[in-house]
Amino acid sequence: MGSLPKTLPHTSSDSGQRPARNQILGLIVASLLKLQHLRDFYELWPHKFQYKTNGVTQRRWIVVSNPSLCALISKWLGTEAWIRDIDLLIGLQEFAADADLHQEWKMVRKVNKMRLAEYIEAMSGVKVSLDAMFDVQIKRIHEYKRQLLNILSIIHRYDCIKNMEKTQRRKVVPRVCIVGGKAAPGYEVAKKIIKLCHAVAEKINNDADVGDLLKLVKGIYVWACILTCVLSNLSPRIGLSPPKQKQK
């Protein structure tokens, strides 16, 4: 029986950086499949065994989802080669203090907010302020991912705003909370969480007293996160690790 590799390759021969944890895990799993669990198949078709991670690539999350930012980066780097060689992004460091770059970067974010605001209005009829903080949580609906906790926090924020005086409300940063995801059709608790989210959104979005200080956008599909992830100001990480299955 073969053994697992004792050394791991660098991510880049030039940078000399060690691979990220998910890459290390991918290499270990790939080695286990090749040398132990599926060794016979590996000996027959070694070219078919290729490990892939769930990492984020610049091709998907900048070039495809954020064309405005893609054009901006290419302009300041003077090349589009960074699309295939992400290490070239280090060239932006020399422009870190450039006021023109900062202004253009802000404009890109504003354009992206406009794209999302138009999508939200077309999908749900809710008008959102471009000056608001966009608080985004889009992932599979599950108890351990704590969408329920997020909705309860939105209810608390709504209650606080309702009990504020006008002078206090002037200090509140407007917020657009976006909750989206998918769930298994037989997952009863997830259905109740979704129903609660819709009920809370109906209440908040139709309260003229609160106005643009708080909006709750529900029903954003997972595929639509290509619009939301590129401009979110806040992305809460409040989920827990999946619960371990009890051994029978």
Side-chain angles (χ1 to χ4, degrees):
M1 181 180 293
S3 58
L4 296 176
K6 295 181 179 180
T7 60
L8 296 170
H10 295 300
T11 54
S12 169
S13 58
D14 297 326
S15 64
Q17 295 178 348
R18 301 295 291 178
R21 184 171 64 174
N22 63 335
Q23 292 176 301
I24 295 174
L25 292 175
L27 287 169
I28 293 174
V29 171
S31 298
L32 286 171
L33 292 175
K34 292 176 183 179
L35 303 176
Q36 297 182 22
H37 303 296
L38 300 175
R39 184 175 180 178
D40 293 340
F41 291 99
Y42 175 65
E43 291 176 352
L44 286 172
W45 303 292
H47 62 283
K48 292 186 177 182
F49 284 75
Q50 305 174 30
Y51 88 92
K52 300 291 187 292
T53 70
N54 290 326
V56 175
T57 70
Q58 69 274 22
R59 294 185 301 279
R60 167 64 63 181
W61 292 108
I62 301 181
V63 179
V64 176
S65 66
N66 202 341
S68 300
L69 180 58
C70 176
L72 177 65
I73 293 174
S74 297
K75 170 188 172 182
W76 283 86
L77 288 180
T79 178
E80 294 183 348
W82 64 272
I83 295 174
R84 294 186 177 275
D85 185 0
I86 198 170
D87 290 338
L88 294 178
L89 289 178
I90 198 172
L92 291 174
Q93 284 187 344
E94 62 179 286
F95 308 112
D98 194 297
D100 291 335
L101 174 59
H102 293 179
Q103 189 62 33
E104 292 180 26
W105 199 284
K106 290 179 181 178
M107 183 57 63
V108 165
R109 290 192 61 82
K110 186 174 182 179
V111 169
N112 286 332
K113 272 193 172 183
M114 291 174 63
R115 288 172 58 202
L116 180 58
E118 291 173 357
Y119 171 78
I120 290 173
E121 185 174 3
M123 180 201 67
S124 63
V126 177
K127 292 185 178 181
V128 298
S129 171
L130 298 180
D131 297 323
M133 174 186 291
F134 279 50
D135 182 343
V136 179
Q137 186 188 31
I138 299 180
K139 54 183 65 182
R140 187 164 51 87
I141 308 296
H142 204 293
E143 290 166 270
Y144 77 82
K145 291 185 181 294
R146 292 185 168 181
Q147 282 90 355
L148 178 58
L149 180 62
N150 190 18
I151 296 170
L152 291 176
S153 72
I154 294 170
I155 295 173
H156 173 69
R157 177 176 292 274
Y158 172 72
D159 184 61
C160 289
I161 294 174
K162 290 290 290 183
N163 288 287
M164 285 181 180
E165 297 180 357
K166 290 184 178 180
T167 54
Q168 294 176 307
R169 292 188 182 186
R170 296 193 187 109
K171 301 178 182 179
V172 175
V173 177
R175 182 173 299 206
V176 176
C177 298
I178 301 174
V179 179
K182 61 181 180 179
Y187 194 174
E188 184 179 356
V189 174
K191 289 181 178 180
K192 291 181 178 179
I193 293 173
I194 294 171
K195 184 177 181 180
L196 174 63
C197 185
H198 279 251
V200 173
E202 188 71 19
K203 176 66 175 179
I204 293 176
N205 297 338
N206 291 293
D207 191 335
D209 185 44
V210 173
D212 288 336
L213 290 181
L214 183 63
K215 294 292 184 183
L216 174 55
V217 180
K218 82 289 185 189
I220 295 290
Y221 296 105
V222 172
W223 60 263
C225 72
I226 203 169
L227 292 174
T228 59
C229 291
V230 298
L231 57 84
S232 62
N233 302 115
L234 179 63
S235 183
R237 296 290 187 269
I238 56 178
L240 298 172
S241 299
K244 294 182 179 180
Q245 298 292 332
K246 294 182 179 180
Q247 295 182 353
K248 296 182 179 179

